[in-house]
Amino acid sequence: MTDLAPDIVELVACPARTAPTGRLREMAYRGDAWMPDEVATLERLFRDDIAIDDIASAIGRRIHGVRDKIVTLGLRRNSQRNWSEAEDAWLTREYGSRPASALAQDLGRACTAVYARAGLLGLTEGNAPRWTEWEDAQLRAGFERAIPVAQIAVLIGRPLSGTITHASNLGLRHPNNPPGWTEAEAARALTLAAEGHRYVDIIEMMVAEGFPRRTKAGFGPHLRKLGYGRGWGRPWTPDEDALLTRVYADGTSRTPLIARLGRTTHSIKWRAEYLGLRGTHVNRDGF
């Protein structure tokens, strides 16, 4: 089983840069062309988790040009900075029109951070945007490396069920898919588990839907092999804490937190207890 480290934001760069061949042709001079020292400064400040608007000020360029260069260079990072008013306004304007992975790259943040902030701002998505070349590349690389599907979904910022469906459409088969389980059965089991149902209830629900009966002793291990319920030590951010606090205050469903933030029910329960949260949810079996 291969788990992702907390600082992983992509599995493979896409599109891959091709090395130049032959003699380079001369190009006309452009006053706005990026100089090597500017690129080096951009990469250094980006690695140091400096805000994009501050990077633009340090280099002496407009913020839109800096964002475009970050995308061109394929730079990605897990940022722990607080969100600025300008970033909130930009996210409000762009959210739902493009994949979360594209928004995360423009902002220099992780997909989970974009989803958490969108939840705090009350933003909603319409129809799911088309899958990008970068997302397809991460999905293929994740399957090749036997990364749990749940972690791949969080990495690229897509729902777990949609990730499994798209992988099936691409003809991908995960190495950890248990023998005898179909893609449809695995996708349905993971979806019901993410909704918070107990294993014994999921088994009966799937039998009623026409899937083969599975034993309770083997059902849980199979789900864990598919990536459900496995965390990898990713620290909670202030935005995630604020979103969890609001969910408990409003008494709304915790299921979106599981799907969007890539957190398990046990992780959410632990964090709620750590923060001393109490809500109006119906807590069956203690949670």
Side-chain angles (χ1 to χ4, degrees), residues 7-28:
D7 58 345
I8 296 296
V9 291
E10 67 178 349
L11 296 173
V12 60
C14 181
R17 302 182 191 177
T18 56
T21 57
R23 183 177 180 180
L24 299 179
R25 64 182 180 85
E26 293 185 0
M27 296 181 62

Side-chain angles (χ1 to χ4, degrees), residues 32 34 38 42 46 50-72 75 77 81-91 93-94 98 103 105-109:
D32 60 347
W34 282 75
E38 290 181 310
L42 170 62
F46 193 85
I50 305 300
I52 295 180
D53 51 352
D54 292 336
I55 296 176
S57 299
I59 299 178
R61 289 184 173 270
R62 297 175 62 87
I63 187 172
H64 300 292
V66 173
R67 278 191 177 137
D68 181 72
K69 193 62 177 179
I70 289 172
V71 173
T72 302
L75 303 178
R77 66 182 175 186
R81 293 176 294 100
N82 292 328
W83 287 70
S84 66
E85 293 183 1
E87 287 178 317
D88 285 344
W90 185 88
L91 182 62
R93 183 176 64 254
E94 298 290 334
R98 293 190 293 151
L103 301 181
Q105 185 172 24
D106 286 351
L107 292 168
R109 295 182 181 270

Side-chain angles (χ1 to χ4, degrees), residues 18-218:
T18 56
T21 57
R23 183 177 180 180
L24 299 179
R25 64 182 180 85
E26 293 185 0
M27 296 181 62
Y29 172 78
R30 291 182 53 182
D32 60 347
W34 282 75
M35 298 293 102
D37 59 333
E38 290 181 310
V39 175
T41 302
L42 170 62
E43 293 178 335
R44 176 176 56 81
L45 296 178
F46 193 85
R47 287 194 303 269
D48 292 341
D49 200 17
I50 305 300
I52 295 180
D53 51 352
D54 292 336
I55 296 176
S57 299
I59 299 178
R61 289 184 173 270
R62 297 175 62 87
I63 187 172
H64 300 292
V66 173
R67 278 191 177 137
D68 181 72
K69 193 62 177 179
I70 289 172
V71 173
T72 302
L73 295 174
L75 303 178
R76 292 178 180 273
R77 66 182 175 186
N78 275 311
S79 177
Q80 297 293 323
R81 293 176 294 100
N82 292 328
W83 287 70
S84 66
E85 293 183 1
E87 287 178 317
D88 285 344
W90 185 88
L91 182 62
T92 301
R93 183 176 64 254
E94 298 290 334
Y95 191 74
S97 62
R98 293 190 293 151
S101 59
L103 301 181
Q105 185 172 24
D106 286 351
L107 292 168
R109 295 182 181 270
C111 290
T112 51
V114 171
Y115 276 125
R117 195 62 181 177
L120 287 175
L121 297 175
L123 305 180
T124 57
E125 291 180 301
N127 295 329
R130 294 176 60 88
W131 281 69
T132 65
E133 183 181 359
W134 179 85
E135 290 176 318
D136 285 348
Q138 307 313 305
L139 187 59
R140 295 180 187 277
F143 271 59
E144 290 175 358
R145 303 182 191 181
I147 303 295
V149 183
Q151 294 187 18
I152 300 175
V154 172
L155 176 75
I156 62 180
R158 291 278 185 171
L160 177 59
S161 58
T163 302
I164 295 175
T165 299
H166 190 67
S168 178
N169 293 338
L170 293 177
L172 303 178
R173 186 173 183 83
H174 201 280
N176 294 339
N177 192 18
W181 283 54
T182 63
E183 293 288 345
E185 183 181 7
R188 183 58 176 159
L190 287 169
T191 299
L192 293 175
E195 292 175 356
H197 298 287
R198 296 183 301 174
Y199 286 169
V200 291
D201 296 332
I202 296 175
I203 293 173
E204 296 302 327
M205 294 167 66
M206 294 185 63
V207 169
E209 295 176 8
F211 292 103
R213 179 176 293 277
R214 302 291 183 180
T215 63
K216 180 182 177 181

